[in-house]
Amino acid sequence: MTRQQQALTQAILAHHSKSFALAGKLLPAWCRYDAAVLYAWCRRCDDAVDFADEGQASMKTSMEAPTEERGAAVVRLRDELSTIYAGNPQSDPVLAAFQELVSRHQIPRVYADELLAGMSMDVGVVRYRTFAELLLYCYRAAGTVGLMMAHVMKVKDPPALRRAADLGIAMQLTNICRDVAEDERRGRVYLPAELQGSDAGLLPSQHPQSTAAAVAELLRRADLFYRSGDVGLRRLPWRCGLAIRAARFIYAEIGAVIARRGFDVLAGRAVVPRMRKAWLVLRALIQTLGAQVVTP
């Protein structure tokens, strides 16, 4: 990876996600930049679909693109992915870095294909009837990222991969609960109708009580996936385990903030204060070192 690619991908990570940027600093040097490359490619795809900006994340506008443009963006992303896995030269530095990453770590294309399939589920008005439907979306949107990240960390055994996917799902469920109001403004209601006590998804802003109940249940289920993901952390090299455990604690704390507000996700975006994040990183360090002591 060139210095230009390293600087660009690190800048994208730092700009878009303070939590992941903090966790990234805890990673060992041998996979720190690879993790940033993976994040940068995922971020690029997400921006392309949300803003339909011809794949140039630096040209974002404040308005959502029409549905047909977002659908066209997914098609372009799939075409790009085909050129990446075919080994064609890439002029875009993020694509070039991602191409080198998937080749070096032998990341299966099916993971990236599934992630793009998840993005296609965001095209148009989003409504989910059942939790099972939402779970498929969460796997595609974030479980796949956990799988790719496991490969970056040189962990490829099936039991560990399953736990990595579960951790990604847990984080996505937390994201959904945090962003209910913002997503509604974009025409997306991820809360399953069955958890809202309705056959057709209710608009969160018009039904705060059913929304709070659905969010509480989603966070409860997210906790089950967090616990499953915890089992896989012991399979990681210790510095990798520290970084991922820190990210896991910080993300789960978002859910705790929402719970302390009585699951009122319409009152503003839940955030974790900086000092609380520092404590959670320390907690992650203590637990990671403790796991090293007891692991034979």
Side-chain angles (χ1 to χ4, degrees):
M1 189 189 306
T2 68
R3 289 185 178 179
Q4 177 192 18
Q5 291 169 346
Q6 289 184 0
L8 176 60
T9 54
Q10 286 289 99
I12 292 172
L13 175 58
H15 176 71
H16 287 284
S17 178
K18 292 182 175 61
S19 295
F20 283 133
L22 174 60
K25 293 177 181 178
L26 302 174
L27 288 169
W30 58 264
C31 72
R32 185 178 305 139
Y33 295 113
D34 286 352
V37 168
L38 177 58
Y39 180 90
W41 179 75
C42 294
R43 182 77 254 173
R44 186 181 189 280
C45 293
D46 195 48
D47 285 347
V49 174
D50 273 352
F51 301 97
D53 57 3
E54 304 303 320
Q56 299 297 321
S58 62
M59 298 172 62
K60 292 190 294 186
T61 65
S62 60
M63 298 297 292
E64 286 285 342
T67 296
E68 57 271 19
E69 292 185 27
R70 294 204 297 272
V74 175
V75 173
R76 288 193 297 271
L77 290 170
R78 286 174 174 152
D79 290 342
E80 283 182 355
L81 191 61
S82 292
T83 67
I84 287 171
Y85 274 85
N88 298 346
Q90 303 294 324
S91 58
D92 184 288
V94 172
L95 296 182
F98 183 66
Q99 182 179 57
E100 191 273 336
L101 178 77
V102 299
S103 175
R104 179 160 42 86
H105 290 287
Q106 294 297 292
I107 297 176
R109 177 172 174 172
V110 65
Y111 298 159
D113 278 330
E114 281 288 278
L115 185 141
L116 295 184
M119 292 184 177
S120 71
M121 295 172 74
D122 278 335
V123 174
V125 176
V126 174
R127 299 289 189 276
Y128 288 102
R129 187 174 58 86
T130 68
F131 178 71
E133 294 170 350
L134 178 63
L135 193 58
L136 173 62
Y137 171 76
C138 290
Y139 165 73
R140 287 174 168 174
T144 55
V145 179
L147 291 170
M148 289 188 279
M149 192 64 195
H151 280 259
V152 167
M153 294 178 177
K154 305 184 187 303
V155 175
K156 300 181 181 181
D157 58 290
L161 291 177
R162 176 188 170 187
R163 304 296 184 174
D166 282 351
L167 184 55
I169 290 170
M171 290 180 170
Q172 186 63 29
L173 287 171
T174 303
N175 270 343
I176 286 169
C177 292
R178 180 194 63 190
D179 297 338
V180 168
E182 178 182 337
D183 288 333
E184 182 185 342
R185 290 193 293 270
R186 292 180 171 183
R188 301 171 184 171
V189 178
Y190 293 99
L191 302 180
E194 68 178 9
L195 298 187
Q196 295 176 287
S198 170
D199 292 330
L202 303 174
L203 290 179
S205 61
Q206 297 176 358
H207 302 273
Q209 290 185 337
S210 62
T211 294
V215 167
E217 178 59 18
L218 278 189
L219 288 175
R220 185 190 71 80
R221 299 187 187 192
D223 187 59
L224 298 177
F225 282 100
Y226 278 122
R227 293 181 186 182
S228 175
D230 288 342
V231 176
L233 295 179
R234 67 190 66 169
R235 304 287 190 98
L236 299 176
W238 88 269
R239 281 285 300 275
C240 294
L242 168 62
I244 301 303
R245 185 175 274 110
R248 174 258 194 262
F249 283 164
I250 292 170
Y251 254 76
E253 182 65 16
I254 294 171
V257 172
I258 294 171
R260 288 194 290 270
R261 293 180 176 182
F263 304 101
D264 182 4
V265 291
L266 304 177
R269 186 184 179 96
V271 296
V272 180
R274 183 176 300 178
M275 289 303 295
R276 181 62 177 169
K277 286 182 180 179
W279 158 246
L280 293 170
V281 170
L282 177 60
R283 178 185 168 197
L285 176 60
I286 293 170
Q287 288 200 11
T288 301
L289 292 176
Q292 292 294 307
V293 171
V294 301
T295 299

